[in-house]
Amino acid sequence: MSNTGGRRRPPTIHDVAREAGVSRGTVSRVLNGGHYVSPAAQEAVNAAIRRTGYVVNRHARSLITGRSDSVGFLLTEPQEKFFEDPNFNILLRGCTQALAAHDIPLLLMLAGTEDERRRITRYITSGHVDGVLLVSSHSGNPVAEELSEAGVPLVACGKPIGLGSKISYVAADDREGARDMTRHLLSLGRRRIGTVTGPLDTPGGVERLAGYKEVLAEAGIEVDDRLVVSGDYSRLSGEQGAERLLAQVPDLDAVFVASDLMARGVLTTLERAGRHVPEDVAVGGFDDSPAALASSPELTTMRQPFDRISAEMVRVLLAQIGGEDTAAVILPTELVKREST
């Protein structure tokens, strides 16, 4: 290859074709999915790409295909939540890795205010990404519906409230997970079981509360409204929720907390109040995030399969970008027993 100004020019599609002994058209078909290409030609092209170090010119290809060859990871929460809640980082890492297998970059988008949501929605609908992985969608938040109506391929993490089958989603089985945790606390002989819920305008908040109530009712235990307090998945809301529970129900003997991060706050409040865990009060969380192992004592929790959730979100989104219909995937959770129960 020739040099210009002492710099080696990057390899082109013509270089790959010459190295592989095929036409430029064959190389182009390989780069765009391998349709109508023999296995031998495809292997020759792939080997030539490796030898020459050819990198696809995404801008040029996007002009031809009408695609950006990138995907957005949209978090509709305040920025501080992204840094505080470990679940978001776990999902981001998993989605990034799953897309990397397809050589597709992931763009992180934070839209916690109304102005930010408007700007991000305008950016997305202008074609700057091919699809969106939507994380943490509250009811009343118009982003999901606006993107769907604009024809943007979209997959939500958790079942979007009130949107039925309009939007694809991948979710852990929040209700059954909450049922398993509540049954576990009952199996320990606990009967004054409180809960700190997630936000009740999110699918996880609603479903986990429903599972808790169902199991208590099945056990013949009347749900006491004083045993139910709401949180927002932050550690501080767990502390405050536990304070309210102890004030309202001093003989509390267990708490099901709708996230591990909130459960760490609950443990802080119980320690401050002189209650021993699990001897006086058993505590169960939800997620099996790093917060569960950072707790003292280590937290019994419901494990969400974050790796599978990320991989399925990417799979469903790429299928939708390719023209397939919306889809729903619900994955099972798993009870992980540790020192807090």
Side-chain angles (χ1 to χ4, degrees), residues 69-115:
D69 281 335
S70 60
V71 165
F73 184 96
L74 176 56
L75 177 63
T76 55
E77 293 281 2
Q79 289 191 18
E80 58 268 21
K81 281 283 188 73
F82 175 73
F83 296 103
E84 181 188 21
D85 193 326
N87 295 345
F88 296 140
N89 285 284
I90 293 169
L91 287 169
L92 176 63
R93 183 176 65 244
C95 291
T96 300
Q97 291 172 343
L99 284 165
H102 301 273
D103 196 26
I104 297 174
L106 185 65
L107 278 63
L108 172 61
M109 303 173 178
L110 302 177
T113 68
E114 189 174 339
D115 285 345

